[in-house]
Each structure stands twice: as structure tokens, then as C-alpha cells.
Amino acid sequence: MNVQELTKAVPLLSPYKWYGKVTRVIGLTIESKGPQASIGDLCYIIVGKVEKVKVRAEVVGFRDEYVLLMPLNGTMEISPGSLVEATGKPLEIKVGSGLIGSVINGCGELLTNEELPKGLTSFPTDNNPPNPLLRPRINEKMSLGVRAIDALFTVGKGQRIGIFAGSGVGKSTLLSMLVKNSAADVNVIALIGERGREVKDFIERDLGEEGLRKTVLVVATSDQPALMRIKGAMTATAVAEYFRNQGLDVNLMMDSVTRFAMAQREIGLAIGEPPTSKGYTPSVFAMLPKLLERSGTDSKGSITAFYTVLVDGDDMNEPIADAVRGILDGHLVLDRKLANKGQFPAINVLKSVSRVMNEIVDDEHRAAAETLRSYLSTYVENEDLINIGAYKKGSSNEIDEAISMYPNVISFIKQTTIEVTPVEQSIQRLVEEFGRGGR
């Protein structure tokens, strides 16, 4: 801060520290008499009989004259009468280029328990989305290196895409391909509610040394309190916003939004919100757009975002999937049947869509993509007849052409994890094989 900023801040400083006392703990919620605080403020609960320790907690609500808090690190050692110290401000993290290549928790601390690098800047975790009138339109392609996405669902810089799938269909593998192959300046990955075992696997097997070199990884595992999982998503978005403010093109990947919603549901139920759709509280559906709208373009840079959504029993119409699909700029559906056939990435081309693609591709590219979809659609509609031998060659020119082109379609969509295809090369192959000149 410069001298002028410090001078302006002086009148806002309070000469007092506000304290309260814990009255009771019910489940995840801590109730205290005081201190004077606002929703979202960070507080410290002072615990320990011999050595005093400060437990971080956040104000999540009020009941009569009592303050409702939720801890970021668990409720151990908190007892009636424990002092609650107000900080008067929400959680802030330290961000900067020195953070690239690091693994941090939801509070912005290194998971290695080391000190943060020098030269980082304080940055709030809960920010408002950019003004919609100040958002530049998306008009430039983002090369992701995954042929099926680059050619059939071309993603623009600043676009927000959902990856919808059940468990074990290849979401993490697809994310790792996007991280290693994309043309973004910086990657920010949030692992929200993941198993602890999978974090090391993702870093060493999926991400690798090359991927980690230009990545900030934010981890909030499933064993951590609900509030820490919420903070993991908020912190990752804040890190991406910081780099966007520097004029960079950022890839933000969050796995998964569903577990973020589940964490918010835990908090909502604990403070007395009524459950609505499938047990989700109203605050969940208020928080989702607030989180997801923070990514995208602004006047300085862009955040191209990929959010994975777990769909129970592959039900694409469950409440969270439905809400997220309505907010984002497109979705990729990973199909278990395709994964079982060995087709990876298991993207169901006919159920996926990019709402920005038509704005950023030329007519030749668009026509070739529609032709490929047409071949695939015709084949899938008649697949049962073809497989049992009930279809006779020559009955339909359209079906005959779809059958002859089907191997080319599958060959185009399938891609190994070590294969990298730049966006222009993917488009060129699509036009050559499925454009007017290629038929």
C-alpha cells in the first residue's frame, strides 16, 4: 500500500478488539454470545488449557442475539466459555507468481507446511463477478490439445464449460490432458472433496512435473470441514482472478462443483435452512451462480473454466447438474457406455454442446462438425439393426454412408493421454475428413 492508501485506511481502524464467548456447540455449528461481527467475517476461537491456540472460524449466521460460527479446522478443544476474537474482515490469501507450482489448502497455506514465498500480495477470497457490461465478448479460440473438444466443441478464451459424468468415467484423466496440453498462461486446479489418496495420484500420475510447473493446485479433501471445502473453491477462483487481473489467460478447473454444493448443503442444514430439492437448501442455488459467474472474461484477461459435475446414477437432470447447466456456456457429457467400449475421452458428442462455438469458428469448420455429428447420429439411431444384421446394405444411402464413415468418426474422437493435437491441426483434419472436399 502507498502512503495515500494508508492515510485513507487510518480512520477506518478501530482502537478496540471485539470478543465474545462460546455458549454451545451443536454438530458443525458453534454458538457464541458476541462478538460484534458480520456474515463472512473471520474470527479466532482461543482454545487450550496450557498453550493457547487460535482456531479459525467464520460467521455463517445469527440466531436471536447469538453469533453462529463454523470452524475451518474442526471443533476439537472448543468448550463453553472459550473466547471468540473478531478480526472485522473476511479471509484473505496471499497470491503472486511465486505461488505457481505450489499445492495449497483452502486458506491459501502450503500443504507442505512450509512458509509461503516472499513477495506475495493479499487478495480477498470472496469477490463479486465482473460487471456484465464490462465483459468483452468471447472471440478468440483457446487451444486445449484435445481433438474432440477443439474441433467439435471449440472453446473460446473466457468460456465456462461443465464436464458432466458419473464416477469412474475419466473426468480426472480429461482434466489432466487439458492441463498439460492447453495454451493457457497459468492453470489453477481445485480438488474439492476428493479422497486424500487421490491427491498424490493426481499430482504424480495425471499432472506430472511438466503440468505442475505452470499450475497452482488448491486441495480441500473430503475429511475436512464443510467450510474448508467451500473455501477451497473460493480460494481457487480468487487465485485465478488475481492472475486474470495481471492480463493473463487462465485455465481454472474445479473437481467438483457437486461436492462444493454438498458442503454448502451441510452448512445450510446446520444453521437451520429448510431442505428443498433433494435435500439441497436454498443457499446452495444462490451460491452456485455467485461462484460460477466469477470466471470468464474481463477488461484485463480471461479465465477459461472447466467445472466437473458428478451425476448420481448418470442422471443428467438431478438438481445440481440442472442448475449448473443453466449457468455455464456449454457442457461435455462423459458417457459410461463409451468408456466401457474403451473410447477415451468418453465424450458423448450428441449430448454435448458449446454455446460459444458458432461465434468463433468459420462456416467451413462449422459445416464439417455438423457433418460428423450427422454421421454419428445416423449410425447410433440404427446401431441395433446394424449389429444384429437386420439392416441390408443399399436400403438407405444415408445409413450406408454413416456405416462407411463410422470408423473415421471414432478414430477422430479417440485420443490417448500422451497425444497432443494443436487446435488448428484438429480443425484441419476435421475439414479434410468431413468437409465438402473430404467426401
Side-chain angles (χ1 to χ4, degrees):
M1 293 178 77
N2 57 36
V3 176
Q4 288 182 330
E5 289 174 328
L6 288 170
T7 306
K8 288 179 183 177
V10 168
L12 303 175
L13 297 174
S14 171
Y16 304 104
K17 265 194 176 180
W18 298 95
Y19 289 91
K21 281 190 177 182
V22 172
T23 54
R24 60 177 176 170
V25 176
I26 305 170
L28 304 172
T29 315
I30 301 163
E31 197 175 271
S32 75
K33 184 83 171 178
Q36 183 175 311
S38 305
I39 294 284
D41 279 2
L42 182 70
C43 293
Y44 293 114
I45 302 171
I46 300 168
V47 301
K49 294 175 182 175
V50 180
E51 187 178 345
K52 298 299 181 184
V53 178
K54 291 183 175 183
V55 175
R56 286 172 299 194
E58 186 176 291
V59 179
V60 293
F62 305 98
R63 185 177 292 129
D64 300 327
E65 71 271 25
Y66 293 99
V67 178
L68 303 179
L69 303 121
M70 276 206 175
L72 287 160
N73 310 101
T75 55
M76 292 296 288
E77 294 191 19
I78 296 173
S79 58
S82 293
L83 277 179
V84 181
E85 178 187 322
T87 64
K89 59 183 181 180
L91 177 70
E92 289 189 347
I93 58 168
K94 296 283 188 181
V95 197
S97 57
L99 209 58
I100 298 173
S102 303
V103 183
I104 61 176
N105 65 16
C107 293
E109 301 161 335
L110 293 175
L111 280 191
T112 54
N113 293 323
E114 298 173 354
E115 291 290 324
L116 286 166
K118 302 293 183 184
L120 302 183
T121 307
S122 290
F123 199 78
T125 58
D126 195 357
N127 301 301
N128 292 321
N131 185 324
L133 293 180
L134 300 180
R135 282 186 187 266
R137 292 186 66 190
I138 298 170
N139 53 22
E140 191 177 347
K141 300 185 192 80
M142 168 67 81
S143 179
L144 299 170
V146 179
R147 196 163 47 244
I149 301 176
D150 280 341
L152 303 176
F153 308 100
T154 311
V155 173
K157 289 182 180 178
Q159 188 173 349
R160 301 158 305 145
I161 293 279
I163 300 174
F164 293 73
S167 55
V169 189
K171 295 187 302 300
S172 297
T173 305
L174 180 57
L175 286 182
S176 71
M177 291 173 72
L178 295 174
V179 171
K180 288 187 279 193
N181 302 344
S182 83
D185 299 314
V186 182
N187 297 305
V188 180
I189 306 175
L191 300 181
I192 309 300
E194 286 288 333
R195 304 175 190 90
R197 173 189 62 81
E198 290 185 342
V199 174
K200 197 78 178 285
D201 285 351
F202 182 81
I203 293 171
E204 295 184 357
R205 181 193 64 204
D206 296 329
L207 198 56
E209 202 173 309
E210 179 192 351
L212 188 60
R213 201 175 294 125
K214 64 170 188 174
T215 298
V216 179
L217 190 63
V218 183
V219 175
T221 51
S222 58
D223 59 294
Q224 294 184 323
L227 191 60
M228 188 59 110
R229 281 173 270 149
I230 296 281
K231 288 299 173 193
M234 295 293 189
T235 294
T237 308
V239 172
E241 286 170 329
Y242 171 84
F243 288 117
R244 179 177 64 186
N245 290 348
Q246 310 307 305
L248 302 178
D249 293 318
V250 185
N251 258 4
L252 170 64
M253 300 175 190
M254 192 173 294
D255 186 14
S256 70
V257 171
T258 308
R259 293 193 179 112
F260 166 84
M262 287 175 174
Q264 182 58 36
R265 177 174 64 183
E266 281 182 46
I267 293 173
L269 292 173
I271 63 175
E273 276 191 82
T276 52
S277 182
K278 276 200 174 179
Y280 288 101
T281 56
S283 63
V284 173
F285 300 101
M287 288 280 283
L288 282 172
K290 191 176 178 186
L291 174 73
L292 303 179
E293 286 288 353
R294 286 169 61 182
S295 54
T297 58
D298 77 354
S299 56
K300 297 172 184 172
S302 70
I303 300 174
T304 308
F306 296 87
Y307 300 98
T308 69
V309 181
L310 289 168
V311 286
D312 293 335
D314 297 322
D315 175 16
M316 290 298 298
N317 296 315
E318 63 98 25
I320 299 303
D322 211 32
V324 171
R325 193 165 51 240
I327 297 166
L328 299 179
D329 308 317
H331 55 271
L332 303 172
V333 177
L334 302 189
D335 195 318
R336 192 176 300 279
K337 289 180 182 177
L338 298 178
N340 292 341
K341 288 179 182 178
Q343 179 181 316
F344 291 99
I347 298 170
N348 189 319
V349 172
L350 302 177
K351 291 183 180 178
S352 305
V353 68
S354 169
R355 294 193 178 114
V356 173
M357 178 176 172
N358 288 342
E359 303 290 327
I360 57 175
V361 302
D362 58 35
D363 293 340
E364 189 179 33
H365 178 181
R366 190 183 304 113
E370 287 172 359
T371 300
L372 184 149
R373 283 195 196 91
S374 175
Y375 287 143
L376 186 58
S377 175
T378 302
Y379 185 90
V380 169
E381 282 174 11
N382 298 278
E383 189 170 16
D384 291 340
L385 292 175
I386 295 166
N387 289 341
I388 65 173
Y391 174 74
K392 291 183 180 179
K393 189 176 181 182
S395 301
S396 165
N397 290 335
E398 190 180 349
I399 297 174
D400 288 343
E401 195 173 5
I403 292 171
S404 68
M405 293 299 292
Y406 184 70
N408 290 14
V409 170
I410 298 305
S411 172
F412 184 85
I413 295 170
K414 287 177 75 170
Q415 184 174 336
T416 63
T417 55
I418 59 172
E419 189 181 350
V420 183
T421 310
V423 62
E424 297 304 334
Q425 193 175 318
S426 297
I427 294 168
Q428 183 182 353
R429 179 176 165 184
L430 177 75
V431 172
E432 286 174 357
E433 292 189 21
F434 302 97
R436 291 188 184 90
R439 286 177 289 150

